[in-house]
């Protein structure tokens, strides 16, 4: 049995993760933590998700949670995730990271921690998006720059980062297919008199509204034809199931920074 702790257990994903860990054979819920001052602190993890009390109290000390579990799952916020990665390395606890919107220094903290413990990081833990990433790279490699690549995403009104981590991962996959760096070809937004579209650009469009869990579309637009690859998430359960699957995979694994390609053995 693998003991799993949830960082950010009071959030939208945190709550979905509690239910998924409780329903997954081989997984045991070890505890949960929230940011200091969060209203859920001191409450019971079971009651938090509308189930019977479990006798597990929401804490605010990640080190205390790491001492209780073999793997922690973190869907919180970029600065918190960077601190959690450093603390996980100190306590020899594997970490699964779903937080998006990380900057270079936060990503560097994760890479450093991955020298000490196993870390699985993915902008999207669904099986469908893991396959969509592989397909995007393949199609971008085959079609070449005669086809313009545009990435469209829509999320719920509460999302705080844009473009989504998944949209950026799709952009990196498309850039990898073309053997270029996304940073050099990305156009993350357009406004005003932009001029004609430069060849080779990878464009992004961001929509926000309602309770949309996550829609992504990669459009390859050529002369006379258009190819679209898309994914719609209907329920946060798909991310939670993928993250818990990754946690079971990471338990007892050697240090390293892994992705869903490794977990799902997609080559
Ligand atoms: P949310 O705001 O509902 O939840 C985040 C939770 O983290 C909150 O409860 C907040 O209090 C808590 N938190 C913040 N700082 C903390 C700290 N220092 N210690 C412990 N808890 C802390 O957001 P959400 O919709 O659950 O999304 C969380 C993150 O996960 C976002 O970055 C989002 O983009 C990402 N996400 C990733 C995937 C994926 O598959 N990788 C899927 C959905 C969401």
């Amino acid at each position: 049995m693998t003991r799993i702790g949830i960082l950010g257990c009071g959030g939208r994903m945190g709550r979905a993760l509690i239910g998924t860990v409780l329903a997954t054979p081989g997984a045991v819920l070890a505890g949960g933590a929230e940011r200091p001052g969060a209203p859920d602190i001191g409450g019971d993890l079971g009651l938090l998700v509308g189930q019977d009390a479990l006798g597990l109290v929401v804490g605010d000390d990640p080190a205390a949670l790491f001492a209780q579990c073999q793997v922690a799952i973190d869907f919180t916020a970029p600065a918190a995730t960077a601190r959690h990665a450093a603390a996980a390395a100190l306590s020899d606890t594997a970490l699964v990271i779903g937080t998006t919107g990380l900057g270079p220094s936060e990503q560097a903290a994760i890479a450093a921690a991955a020298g000490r413990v196993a870390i699985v990081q993915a902008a999207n833990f669904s099986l469908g998006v893991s396959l969509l990433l592989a397909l995007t790279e393949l199609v971008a490699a085959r079609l070449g720059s005669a086809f313009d690549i545009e990435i469209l995403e829509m999320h719920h009104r509460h999302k705080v980062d844009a473009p989504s981590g998944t949209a950026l991962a799709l952009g990196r996959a498309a850039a990898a297919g073309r053997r270029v760096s996304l940073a050099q070809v990305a156009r993350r937004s357009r406004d005003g008199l932009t001029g004609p579209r430069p060849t080779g650009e990878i464009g992004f469009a961001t929509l926000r509204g309602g309770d949309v869990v996550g829609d992504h579309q990669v459009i390859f637009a050529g002369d006379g034809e258009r190819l679209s690859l898309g994914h719609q998430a209907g329920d946060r359960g798909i991310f939670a199931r993928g993250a818990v699957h990754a946690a079971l995979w990471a338990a007892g694994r050697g240090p390293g920074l892994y992705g869903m390609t490794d977990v799902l053995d997609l080559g």
Side-chain angles (χ1 to χ4, degrees), residues 6-15 33-36 38-40 59-60 62 74-81 83-84 97-101 122-126 155-156 158-161 165-166 213 236 239-240:
I6 312 290
L7 292 153
C9 59
R12 282 175 287 267
M13 277 304 303
R15 288 167 199 255
E34 259 294 332
R35 74 183 150 72
D40 294 317
D60 65 359
D74 181 334
F75 283 68
T76 57
T81 296
R83 289 195 301 273
H84 293 155
I97 295 175
T99 308
T100 61
N124 192 307
F125 277 94
S126 75
H155 281 84
H156 55 86
H158 303 289
K159 185 161 178 63
V160 295
D161 52 317
T166 302
V213 175
R236 284 187 180 80
F239 309 129

Side-chain angles (χ1 to χ4, degrees), residues 132-145 147-151 166-183 185-186 197 200-204 217-220 229:
L132 180 61
L133 287 162
L135 290 171
T136 297
E137 183 172 344
L138 178 75
V139 174
R142 292 291 167 93
L143 291 181
S145 59
F147 282 74
D148 299 320
I149 302 178
E150 293 286 307
I151 298 170
T166 302
L168 292 170
L170 289 165
R172 283 193 296 275
R178 287 186 165 174
R179 300 186 181 284
V180 295
S181 146
L182 180 64
V185 297
R197 188 185 198 285
E201 190 169 87
I202 296 178
F204 292 86
Q217 196 180 4
V218 184
I219 302 164
F220 297 86
L229 302 174

Side-chain angles (χ1 to χ4, degrees), residues 45-262:
L45 282 177
L47 298 178
L48 198 61
V49 295
Q51 299 198 17
D52 292 342
L54 296 166
L56 294 170
V57 170
V58 179
D60 65 359
D61 178 2
L65 180 64
F66 291 145
Q68 295 297 316
C69 62
Q70 291 154 273
V71 191
I73 305 179
D74 181 334
F75 283 68
T76 57
T81 296
R83 289 195 301 273
H84 293 155
L90 286 179
S91 70
D92 243 345
T93 306
L95 191 62
V96 172
I97 295 175
T99 308
T100 61
L102 293 122
S105 67
E106 290 144 354
Q107 196 56 50
I110 290 166
R116 301 274 303 267
V117 291
I119 297 186
V120 182
Q121 183 183 18
N124 192 307
F125 277 94
S126 75
L127 174 62
V129 165
S130 302
L131 291 168
L132 180 61
L133 287 162
L135 290 171
T136 297
E137 183 172 344
L138 178 75
V139 174
R142 292 291 167 93
L143 291 181
S145 59
F147 282 74
D148 299 320
I149 302 178
E150 293 286 307
I151 298 170
L152 175 70
E153 58 107 337
M154 180 160 187
H155 281 84
H156 55 86
R157 63 171 74 92
H158 303 289
K159 185 161 178 63
V160 295
D161 52 317
S164 71
T166 302
L168 292 170
L170 289 165
R172 283 193 296 275
R178 287 186 165 174
R179 300 186 181 284
V180 295
S181 146
L182 180 64
Q184 281 163 7
V185 297
R187 174 69 73 102
R188 293 172 61 131
S189 65
R190 296 187 182 94
D191 186 26
L193 199 62
T194 59
R197 188 185 198 285
T199 304
E201 190 169 87
I202 296 178
F204 292 86
T206 297
L207 311 182
R208 291 286 176 268
D211 61 357
V212 178
V213 175
D215 292 354
H216 292 91
Q217 196 180 4
V218 184
I219 302 164
F220 297 86
D223 290 334
E225 62 178 330
R226 237 173 19 251
L227 172 65
S228 297
L229 302 174
H231 180 266
Q232 287 85 39
D235 185 309
R236 284 187 180 80
I238 60 170
F239 309 129
R241 285 194 293 277
V244 172
H245 180 67
L248 297 177
W249 181 90
R253 200 161 290 270
L257 185 53
Y258 305 99
M260 282 308 269
T261 306
D262 305 302

